[in-house]
Each structure stands twice: as C-alpha cells, then as structure tokens.
Amino acid sequence: MKKIFYLYIIMLGSLLTSCKDFLDLPPKNQRAVTTLNDVKSVLAGYLDAFSRNNIRPIVGPYPIITEAQNMMFESYSDNFDFEGNMAQYVNRQNNHGNEKFYANKLLWNDYEASTQIWNSYYEAIGFLNALIEQCEDLKDADPQELKRVKGEMMVHRAYYIFKLQQYFAPMDREEMGIPLYLHTGKEVMGIEMKRKSSAEIYAVLINDLSQALSYYTEAGANTGYNRFFNDRFIQHLLAQVFWFKAESSAKESSDYQQVIKYATAALENVEAFVPSTPVALQQTQQNLLSQYPAYYMQGMTYGGVSAIYGSTWGYLGFAPANLKVAPDLLQLFDEQDIRKAAYFNGNTLSASWPDGAAYGAKYVRVHLFTPEEAFLMLAEAYCRSNNLDQGRMVLNTFKGYRNAKELNSGSANELLKEIINERRKEFFTDTDKRWIDLKRYKLGTINRTLKFFNIDFSLRVEAGDFHYSLPIPLSELQENPHIAPNEGWEPLIF
C-alpha cells in the first residue's frame, strides 16, 4: 500500500517552541503529499518569495536575511562611528527607532533578532526535511524533474544550515556545532537534539551540495521553476562553506584547494557583468542589471533599515541623518575608488546610499552568490596556499572593477591584510558579511561608551570572544535540556 505522507504546512508553535519541534515536525495543519506535483505545489508556496518581492513564503524568513537581521549584524560591527551618531539615533525627529531599540542593538543585546533567526531558519529546515524525505517515496516520478526539485530543496536547506553554523557555533570549539536532525520519516522516539560537532555539520553541507551539483549536471534546471538550483550558485555556496570551514575547528588541509576549485567555477564567464562604475553599482543594488550573476531579494518595507542607515526623509530634517562612518574604514579607500563615490558624502554615509536615488529608499537588499565574493575568496585561497602571484593577480583583477590601486608585491601577510580590507570596503553594509569577517579573522576589539536612559554603558568586545557566537534562545534552552548554551551572554534589562 502506498504510503500517504502528511506535510505539516504550519509549524509555528508557542513561544517555547524548540528546534526539535521544527525538525521533528509535530502535526498542526496537514496536507496529503503523494506525487511529485504535490511536492512541487507545496514547495512553490515557499519559492514564490524567491521570484517576487511582495510575498512572504509559507515558512522561513522574508527576505532570507531580514531587516532586523541586517541591522543587528551592522550594529555588532565596526563600520560606523556609533558614539558619534548617538545624537542622531536618540532624537525626537527619529521615527524609525526608539531608545530601547538602539540600546539593544548597540550594546549587543538584540536577543529578539537572534531568536527570530534561530526559529525561522530551523522552521525552514524542518519543512525542507519533510519534502526531501518524501521524494524518496516517489518511485514513479519523472527522474529528471525529481532531481531538479530535490536538488533545489537541498541547496536551500544547506544555506540555512550553513548560516546557523556561522551565527551560533564558536569557531574554535569543535563540540559546539549546531543541533541538526535530518528527518528520516521513521517513527523515532526520544530524539535528543544535542549539538553536533562542527565536522559533522560541514560533512552534511558538503554532501548535500555535492549531491545537488551532481543532480544539476545530470538534469539541468527547470528555468521556470528553479531558483537556487543553478550550477554557479551551488559552486559558490560550496566555496563559501570550504572558505569558512578552513579557519574553523573542523579545518582540513585540503579546504583552500576546494575553495579554488569551486570559486573558479563560480566565476566562469562573469567578467562582462561585474559593475565597474558608481552608477552600475547603484543599478545592481536596484536589481536593474538583469544579467548580473547573483540572486537578488529585496525587503517589502520602504525605509526598513532606516533606523541604522539613515532616514528616508533626512532632507526634511528627520533623523537619523548624516551618519558618521568609522575613520579607519574611510582611510582604506583610494580617492578614485568608485565605491567611495557610491557610498559616502565626505565622512558620512551618502543620503543616496545604496541605490543612487536622491534620498535612498533604504530597503534591505540581499545579493547571494555574488562574483565579487567569489573573487575575494579565490584570492585568499591562493594566498593561503602560498601561491602569492596568483593571489595578487586575482585580487588586482577584482580591484580593477573598483578602480582601486593594485597590490603588486609584499608578503603573504600583507596580501591577506589587503584582501580583508577589500572585503570590508566591498561588503560595507552588506547583510552579515562584516560581522562574519570579524568572527572568522578574529579582528580587533570593539569598545563603546554609550548613554541610554541616563545611564552610562561601557561595552568591550574582544576578538574571538563569546560575542561572536549568538546566544541560543532562552525558549530553546528551556525546552531542550540536551543543548549546551553559548556561555557569556547576560541580557541587559532596561
């Protein structure tokens, strides 16, 4: 008798829902899924958000990196002079964020945003687990279309797993990877949702993405349906996984060679589509360059990130406006660098950032799998492999697109420093990237002395300390006795 599988469409539990509840799929509303068309129909309710900018998926976040997420990671980074901007942030003319909002963001106390990431990403993984497992029972389905559908889901699931590992797992504690259970569909009792080792998590990621890439080679994409099932995107994500893993507790000697392999493949035939003028950079931000080889998502909220990046109505006197940038960041830019003209007005963030409009719309804009990121991963992989000439050549090719001064000599350490600086310039305000770099490279110390509610607060975040592993949500710790917390976090109560 053919098995009838019930997909749990709505998996939003109470405030005390744990990742086990998402990954083990407790029943809520149900829908029978028995054919490949059923799977495609249900999956389409999730994929719709990846083809349109005005619809939320049936599970998971929208966009895949949200406004709150973007603002949290920027607040936890070193690109802005936050002390110098306080008069603009806590200001009667600011209708984008109140004093508590800024206190939580700038004092690394944004438990709400980190909880939202944990819950929404695990929710999406649980949903994809169920559909991927159901694909194993579709024996009569068109085998090529089944590979396209299953491959699509495997890439999305790998993305969420990877980001959770980046956000919540320490770099140097192998036993403290994220919890993960790839649902088998069997009746399993007493699952203990413990943290996996980081090596186990990376093995899952590499296996799933390699399998998806094999499916792509065999079946190609259904261009009207697939979103992430694209050989360039899959290889780019594989390069990212190996790049991050290479400096983690799970590192292996072959990691950077794998970065070279996959980043090179991701960069094939992209040269003509990389923007090289300020206008082209701004058009890319608005997704106006149709052949730009990356995946674009835009938030639905006009001014959605204005609380951190500046009011859309700054020209009318509203705050925040004229936000000061960290001086050491500004000093990295050559005068002729096209990014300087696109980003800044003197030592402040340009009102037209990021899209070139007279007063930027301040939507959150997400570009996944960009060639710029692949260039810089490739340059670093050559550098770390002691192929300095090739590393400099790749770096200088990238710099050419930005009209930045070339680096033609120097040691491996000097080349690596230049690559890190290029990443900081290129990925300024870009989703989570600067925070990821601060974590991965163990960069600097962040010191802040800020006043909220007439109380002086001093914050010190040292390179590599506990702040670079986000706090496991309290609801998870209460519901899941098998999970070890990320130690050091103590909520501030205002």
Side-chain angles (χ1 to χ4, degrees), residues 7 9 31-33 36-47 58 127 131 225:
L7 173 68
I9 300 297
R31 168 177 175 172
V33 178
L36 179 56
N37 281 338
D38 290 336
V39 172
K40 291 179 67 176
S41 177
V42 172
L43 183 61
Y46 164 81
L47 292 179
I58 58 175
F127 167 79
L131 283 181
Y225 187 84

